[in-house]
Amino acid sequence: MAVYTDINEVDLKAFLAEYDAGELLSYKGIAEGVENTNFLLHTSKQPLILTLYEKRVDRNDLPFFLGLMHHLSERGLSCPLPLPRKDGELLGELSGRPAALISFLEGMWLRKPEAQHCREVGKALAGMHVAGEGFDLTRPNALSLEGWQTLWAKSEARADEVETGLEEEIGAELDFLAAHWPGDLPAGVIHADLFPDNVFFLGDDLSGLIDFYFACNDFLVYDLSICLNAWCFEKDGAYNITKGKAMIEGYLSVRPLSAEEIAALPVLCRGSALRFFLTRLYDWLTTPEGALVVKKDPLEYLKKLRFHRAVTNASEYGLIS
Ligand SMILES: Nc1ncnc2c1ncn2[C@@H]1O[C@H](COP(=O)(O)OP(=O)(O)O)[C@@H](O)[C@H]1O
Ligand SMILES: N[C@@H](CCOP(=O)(O)O)C(=O)O
């Protein structure tokens, strides 16, 4: 559940008065999500999402996230559009938190995505990469090689509580990735968290992408590796090559991949599996029992990481050369 900050009607009405958003009819907290507090608002004009940015989001990054949604939306990507206030600002404040109003996106996320949906996600991801060209703000990826080391330093001593031998295994993995991470690949704005819960569908049609709060600048194909990890494994831990093939074909139908990008895919998949393992491990070890947020299982990503370690060629992900 993710309603960390409560709001009252008087403050909300005062906040809304800064926008040309109509009269407030109703509002309710949204239980889903991990990072921020979200409310669904109905006004006399339109449904809206109100997001209050919580502590883990750096206030200095908000112009990047909100500006990016605006940029992508203007270029035809279906994603939430931040509403400007009457003074032109995209950001306000409510209950002591930075807060924004964004447009409501129709659709719901798929609990059991199939290969055809993975194809749509591949297309939409490449569409986002193309639409992101020309966005003039930049944000380095705080969750790449350096950030992993920082996170690991906070969890390393207790890692073996989760599985014996982890301290050694992850230490070696970090060394491997530091030595083999690609130096130069096509880069741009990536979503960096395009998991099933951040992609909406209406029936079998993809209706839009949400949750740009990990977006940053990095290798474009790294984003594809994140999606292969998030969408193409089954509950039993097996990689589903049919889904992977569909996702890669969908991506390639919009944006080609160079030989260097293809060759780098196995190591990038290792990196993205490690990235989600590390954030989950940190949360696993530090979230107090009884907290209102659902802790995600780090071992799911350890299994994926071990799978990628055995991959020698991108064709094992379903890529047909
Ligand atoms: N623009 C939107 N349109 C419709 N629903 C949204 C929108 N943004 C967020 N939501 C709802 O709020 C939930 C949590 O949003 P999300 O951005 O993923 O939060 P968090 O960053 O905390 O993980 C989503 O699963 C969805 O139900
Ligand atoms: N996708 C991440 C967690 C971030 O959650 P989100 O609700 O912001 O997408 C994971 O699965 O570890």
Side-chain angles (χ1 to χ4, degrees):
M1 125 121 198
V3 178
Y4 301 103
T5 303
D6 213 353
I7 55 176
N8 71 58
E9 199 175 325
V10 174
D11 291 348
L12 177 57
K13 283 186 170 158
F15 175 84
L16 274 182
E18 304 291 335
Y19 294 82
D20 187 16
E23 297 298 313
L24 181 67
L25 300 178
S26 68
Y27 68 98
K28 65 173 182 198
I30 299 177
E32 282 182 316
V34 171
E35 299 292 329
N36 298 308
T37 294
N38 288 294
F39 289 88
L40 172 61
L41 267 50
H42 285 280
T43 75
S44 49
K45 286 196 169 171
Q46 63 207 308
L48 288 165
I49 296 288
L50 164 68
T51 302
L52 275 66
Y53 298 98
E54 299 295 338
K55 286 187 196 114
R56 293 217 298 198
V57 176
D58 183 342
R59 197 187 178 112
N60 297 318
D61 287 333
L62 292 174
F64 177 90
F65 300 139
L66 295 171
L68 177 63
M69 287 190 256
H70 190 262
H71 177 94
L72 295 173
S73 180
E74 272 201 329
R75 275 155 189 78
L77 188 90
S78 178
C79 70
L81 181 65
L83 249 72
R85 294 168 15 133
K86 289 174 187 160
D87 64 6
E89 295 295 322
L90 296 180
L91 198 63
E93 192 161 312
L94 182 58
S95 295
R97 294 258 164 248
L101 280 181
I102 61 173
S103 60
F104 178 83
L105 212 67
E106 295 289 348
M108 56 184 278
W109 68 271
L110 299 175
R111 273 63 181 172
K112 289 188 179 163
E114 293 169 13
Q116 56 173 320
H117 307 116
C118 294
R119 183 181 302 276
E120 294 311 305
V121 172
K123 276 190 207 165
L125 183 74
M128 185 208 138
H129 292 165
V130 173
E133 286 168 14
F135 180 53
D136 54 3
L137 300 181
T138 54
R139 176 176 184 266
N141 189 355
L143 290 172
S144 190
L145 293 171
E146 227 181 281
W148 303 339
Q149 294 284 1
T150 312
L151 261 179
W152 178 235
K154 293 182 194 163
S155 309
E156 185 178 5
R158 293 185 55 204
D160 281 20
E161 288 173 28
V162 176
E163 191 178 293
T164 311
L166 266 187
E167 190 175 350
E168 198 181 328
E169 181 176 348
I170 300 303
E173 185 66 27
L174 281 163
D175 291 345
F176 173 87
L177 290 172
H180 294 89
W181 202 244
D184 188 25
L185 290 175
V189 184
I190 66 165
H191 184 286
D193 187 30
L194 200 60
F195 276 55
D197 61 343
N198 290 330
V199 181
F200 284 3
F201 282 82
L202 279 169
D204 286 329
D205 297 328
L206 193 154
S207 61
L209 314 182
I210 65 162
D211 198 356
F212 288 80
Y213 302 113
F214 285 106
C216 56
N217 293 80
D218 207 335
F219 302 138
L220 298 176
V221 67
Y222 178 63
D223 225 5
L224 179 60
S225 81
I226 291 175
C227 289
L228 290 171
N229 269 312
W231 290 81
C232 303
F233 284 85
E234 298 304 324
K235 289 251 176 310
D236 63 2
Y239 181 72
N240 184 325
I241 196 163
T242 310
K243 289 182 177 175
K245 182 171 179 289
M247 176 172 283
I248 295 169
E249 282 174 359
Y251 189 93
L252 288 172
S253 70
V254 177
R255 179 182 172 266
L257 291 170
S258 66
E260 290 74 22
E261 287 177 292
I262 290 170
L265 205 48
V267 78
L268 295 174
C269 282
R270 277 172 79 157
S272 51
L274 181 74
R275 174 258 180 263
F276 289 99
F277 167 78
L278 287 172
T279 46
R280 287 178 174 206
L281 177 69
Y282 178 78
D283 288 347
W284 194 265
L285 294 172
T286 54
T287 307
E289 286 309 318
L292 289 171
V293 67
V294 179
K295 294 202 273 187
K296 300 196 176 186
D297 182 8
L299 295 181
E300 181 190 337
Y301 272 80
L302 182 67
K303 283 192 206 125
K304 292 178 183 182
L305 173 57
R306 287 173 178 162
F307 168 84
H308 297 305
R309 248 189 232 137
V311 170
T312 53
N313 189 293
S315 61
E316 291 170 61
Y317 296 123
L319 203 142
I320 296 173
S321 47

